[in-house]
């Protein structure tokens, strides 16, 4: 019998309801510590990838323009537009790694990486010539997990003193 999520095993609705509430309320202290460390590591791992992709836009904007054309069908962007996109991305990615405005920043990262993953669909049709593209799927799973568990992701985050759960 599951003592941490009463009723979660009784019916699917109970399991879904358990996902909607912060897990730390129902986990013993050692499990909560493991959860928060795990979420921090996921956040840092996702940040490293997103940071490098955004940094690439600053360092090599022509590469970003080619990606926009090939994977998103967006042509005719000026280099200045790439810098503006990169600046907005960088601000949001830094807020993400700091654990700020979680609903917005974690959602932004999830949507951005989801678009990147799904726009590469043609690469998945020729898998053995594009194996590295498959690394996007576990990272997408990490982004989904971080978004769903954002209220439990509290280690090394910047938090307002009186922030409500709906603001996180």
């Amino acid at each position: 019998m599951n003592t941490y999520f009463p009723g979660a095993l009784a019916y699917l609705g109970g399991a879904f309801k358990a996902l909607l509430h912060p897990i730390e309320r129902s986990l013993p202290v050692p499990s909560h510590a493991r959860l928060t460390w795990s979420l921090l590591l996921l956040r840092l791992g996702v940040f490293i990838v997103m940071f490098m992709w955004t940094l690439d836009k600053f360092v090599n904007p022509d590469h970003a323009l080619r990606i926009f054309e090939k994977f998103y069908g967006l042509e005719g962007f000026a280099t200045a537009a790439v810098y503006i996109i990169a600046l907005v991305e960088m601000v949001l990615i830094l807020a993400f790694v700091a654990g700020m405005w979680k609903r917005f920043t974690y959602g932004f990262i999830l949507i951005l990486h989801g678009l990147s993953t799904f726009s590469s669909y043609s690469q998945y049709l020729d898998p053995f010539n594009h194996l590295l593209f498959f690394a996007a799927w576990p990272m997408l799973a990490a982004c989904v997990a971080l978004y769903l568990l954002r209220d439990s992701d509290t280690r090394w985050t910047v938090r307002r003193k009186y922030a409500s759960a709906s603001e996180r």
Side-chain angles (χ1 to χ4, degrees):
M1 184 69 181
N2 186 340
T3 59
Y4 297 123
F5 295 109
L9 296 177
Y11 63 99
L12 184 59
F16 181 71
K17 185 177 180 182
L19 289 174
L20 295 178
H21 298 289
I23 290 178
E24 69 262 11
R25 292 183 191 149
S26 56
L27 290 176
V29 173
S31 294
H32 178 257
R34 287 193 303 267
L35 174 67
T36 59
W37 278 111
S38 299
L39 292 171
L40 170 64
L41 292 173
L42 283 176
R43 183 166 25 101
L44 291 174
V46 169
F47 165 75
I48 289 168
V49 174
M50 300 301 287
F51 178 78
M52 292 308 297
W53 285 350
T54 302
L55 196 59
D56 182 57
K57 291 177 179 76
F58 286 114
V59 174
N60 191 359
D62 291 334
H63 180 242
L65 290 170
R66 289 191 303 273
I67 289 172
F68 287 163
E69 290 174 14
K70 181 175 181 175
F71 294 104
Y72 304 106
L74 302 173
E75 298 179 18
F77 271 94
T79 303
V82 173
Y83 288 129
I84 292 169
I85 291 168
L87 181 63
V88 171
E89 273 185 25
M90 187 62 74
V91 168
L92 292 170
I93 289 167
L94 291 172
F96 164 78
V97 77
M100 299 170 64
W101 312 300
K102 292 177 185 177
R103 182 178 300 278
F104 178 71
T105 58
Y106 288 37
F108 171 78
I109 295 295
L110 173 58
I111 290 168
L112 191 64
H113 185 64
L115 289 171
S116 172
T117 301
F118 291 113
S119 70
S120 305
Y121 69 91
S122 62
Q123 309 307 308
Y124 306 123
L125 301 176
D126 187 15
F128 297 108
N129 288 318
H130 301 102
L131 283 175
L132 284 178
F133 280 86
F134 284 86
W137 292 100
M139 184 166 147
L140 183 59
C143 291
V144 169
L146 281 166
Y147 185 78
L148 292 174
L149 297 171
R150 67 188 177 276
D151 290 335
S152 298
D153 186 12
T154 56
R155 195 168 297 272
W156 294 2
T157 61
V158 175
R159 290 177 278 170
R160 286 196 353 221
K161 189 172 184 178
Y162 299 104
S164 68
S166 64
E167 295 178 80
R168 288 184 246 154

